[in-house]
Amino acid sequence: MHRRIWLLILTCSLVWPGCNKAASTDELIEDLSSTDTEDRVKAVRLLQGRQSDGDKVVPAMIKLLDDKAVNVRLSAIIGLGYFGADAETALPELEKAEKDPDGKIRRAATTAIARIRGEE
């Protein structure tokens, strides 16, 4: 029994340091090109908090506005709103998104545009 406990403790101590490693901005941007929709959604949502890397993140998010998956497009639109004026280059694409057939996309685009323009 004690042997199993010590083996468990040893295993956990070896694995634990790697469990808290956050992905870098570059790694997350790379994940945006994953074939797995959930990976792209997760990456774009994590990138929303990386305003200090806006020069890399904003162009990557703009590319996602043409993604086939609604959840990816929606997350990218919402994410661009978090960057405020730093996402000004996204305005033409967001204005196109305001004409999207999906109501959630249209509403999110309107909100993101307002945030980028400092109207909200």
Side-chain angles (χ1 to χ4, degrees):
M1 178 76 165
H2 291 296
R3 199 179 216 173
R4 287 183 186 167
I5 292 173
W6 281 109
L7 182 58
L8 179 64
I9 291 171
L10 177 63
T11 303
C12 290
S13 67
L14 293 173
V15 173
W16 181 261
C19 290
N20 199 21
K21 182 181 177 271
S24 72
T25 299
D26 291 331
E27 289 170 327
L28 291 172
I29 289 172
E30 194 173 307
D31 288 347
L32 296 177
S33 59
S34 171
T35 57
D36 184 355
T37 302
E38 290 305 313
D39 286 346
R40 294 193 311 277
V41 169
K42 180 181 173 186
V44 77
R45 289 181 180 172
L46 289 171
L47 285 167
Q48 293 173 2
R50 306 281 175 106
Q51 285 87 4
S52 62
D53 290 327
D55 58 323
K56 290 192 260 186
V57 175
V58 169
M61 284 189 177
I62 291 171
K63 290 179 186 175
L64 292 178
L65 298 181
D66 290 326
D67 199 280
K68 293 176 188 173
V70 173
N71 286 342
V72 174
R73 289 196 323 269
L74 184 61
S75 295
I77 290 168
I78 292 168
L80 286 165
Y82 282 99
F83 285 86
D86 290 339
E88 243 179 321
T89 56
L91 287 174
E93 293 300 317
L94 289 170
E95 288 167 354
K96 288 181 195 174
E98 283 186 302
K99 296 173 182 82
D100 194 276
D102 189 299
K104 290 180 196 174
I105 297 288
R106 290 192 309 268
R107 286 187 298 277
T110 300
T111 301
I113 289 168
R115 288 180 176 171
I116 291 167
R117 290 183 177 154
E119 298 168 356
E120 188 175 282

